[in-house]
Amino acid sequence: GEDVEQSLFLSVREGDSSVINCTYTDSSSTYLYWYKQEPGAGLQLLTYIFSNMDMKQDQRLTVLLNKKDKHLSLRIADTQTGDSAIYFCAEMDSGGYQKVTFGTGTKLQVIP
Amino acid sequence: EPEVTQTPSHQVTQMGQEVILRCVPISNHLYFYWYRQILGQKVEFLVSFYNNEISEKSEIFDDQFSVERPDGSNFTLKIRSTKLEDSAMYFCASSPGTGGSGNTIYFGEGSWLTVV
């Protein structure tokens, strides 16, 4: 089945850029997503990228997709303390019913 | 902005009791889902629902679980006889299924279930 992997933890200083990485195994993934989860809260959709794109930029967020290596990254520019959260990478398979498989989540800690 | 709403936000139940978690998906969305997240673990797919029937379910979604769309707005998850290991955050989600953002899945805030 599909598998999505992320590093568990990332610590950055406020104002620096954060890069969160993700690898996936399903070569037929159609969409890839980044969700943010703050403590005790739900899953907030941050951004997504279609599998035929290489890059997508949305304000402070830049998503890079290397489909050949099945590698996805999320770059957060000028990271703020409010960005501290768990970030989940997720991929939608091509099975037709839009099931999404989540990664393990990366906990981002922003140091003031 | 439209959102997926879930009730209750937190429920404590005794082992063996039945629980119903409720969700109101975003209006006009066609696909509905339940996911769960055991504390500190991955978000796991339970079931997807389309056109008034289950379209896919995971091995977690056994006979103890059922879903229903009793009217045009609610989408419920029922756990017939809860076990301790059912303690988790349960997320409802919905997706338009069509249009430019058809494959975007929006999640609710979650219902935290504690089985004691």
Side-chain angles (χ1 to χ4, degrees):
Chain A
E2 305 88 358
D3 195 21
V4 182
E5 295 291 336
Q6 301 175 238
S7 53
L8 291 180
F9 190 74
L10 176 66
S11 179
V12 298
R13 293 208 172 273
E14 190 174 18
D16 287 351
S17 292
S18 309
V19 179
I20 303 170
N21 294 301
C22 169
T23 57
Y24 59 96
T25 58
D26 186 1
S27 57
S28 61
S29 293
T30 53
Y31 283 83
L32 296 121
Y33 306 85
W34 285 103
Y35 286 87
K36 176 183 180 183
Q37 186 181 37
E38 296 185 50
L43 296 163
Q44 177 195 353
L45 176 66
L46 287 178
T47 187
Y48 64 94
I49 188 168
F50 187 48
S51 59
N52 68 353
M53 296 170 64
D54 298 324
M55 186 183 91
K56 181 178 180 182
Q57 187 148 4
D58 185 359
Q59 299 182 337
R60 292 192 296 123
L61 306 179
T62 303
V63 178
L64 294 177
L65 174 61
N66 182 328
K67 197 173 179 183
K68 175 175 165 289
D69 293 339
K70 301 193 193 74
H71 182 266
L72 182 75
S73 67
L74 173 70
R75 179 177 179 269
I76 306 172
D78 186 25
T79 314
Q80 303 297 305
T81 53
D83 295 325
S84 293
I86 298 176
Y87 290 79
F88 290 94
C89 167
E91 63 92 20
M92 175 177 287
D93 67 23
S94 58
Y97 292 106
Q98 306 189 326
K99 175 186 137 187
V100 168
T101 300
F102 281 82
T104 47
T106 299
K107 185 172 183 179
L108 175 64
Q109 180 187 48
V110 182
I111 304 165
Chain B
E1 187 175 320
E3 57 183 22
V4 177
T5 56
Q6 292 185 239
T7 53
S9 56
H10 189 191
Q11 182 162 353
V12 180
T13 189
Q14 286 203 320
M15 194 167 56
Q17 294 296 303
E18 176 182 283
V19 159
I20 297 176
L21 305 178
R22 291 184 166 80
C23 170
V24 179
I26 294 172
S27 177
N28 298 325
H29 279 194
L30 301 178
Y31 290 83
F32 314 111
Y33 312 84
W34 283 100
Y35 285 76
R36 80 170 185 192
Q37 185 182 30
I38 294 171
L39 187 63
Q41 296 188 24
K42 265 190 184 188
V43 178
E44 301 172 292
F45 170 77
L46 291 178
V47 66
S48 59
F49 192 86
Y50 170 72
N51 202 26
N52 286 320
E53 60 183 22
I54 290 174
S55 47
E56 188 172 358
K57 59 183 181 179
S58 71
E59 57 192 29
I60 302 168
F61 194 87
D62 60 21
D63 292 343
Q64 296 292 330
F65 292 88
S66 63
V67 288
E68 202 176 33
R69 190 155 160 81
D71 52 42
S73 58
N74 290 286
F75 179 52
T76 61
L77 174 70
K78 183 193 288 186
I79 309 173
R80 254 179 279 283
S81 177
T82 49
K83 303 187 282 283
L84 294 176
E85 54 264 38
D86 294 327
S87 295
M89 178 78 93
Y90 288 81
F91 291 107
C92 176
S94 70
S95 168
T98 59
S101 62
N103 290 295
T104 308
I105 299 184
Y106 297 89
F107 284 80
E109 290 288 307
S111 292
W112 183 249
L113 175 66
T114 303
V115 182
V116 296

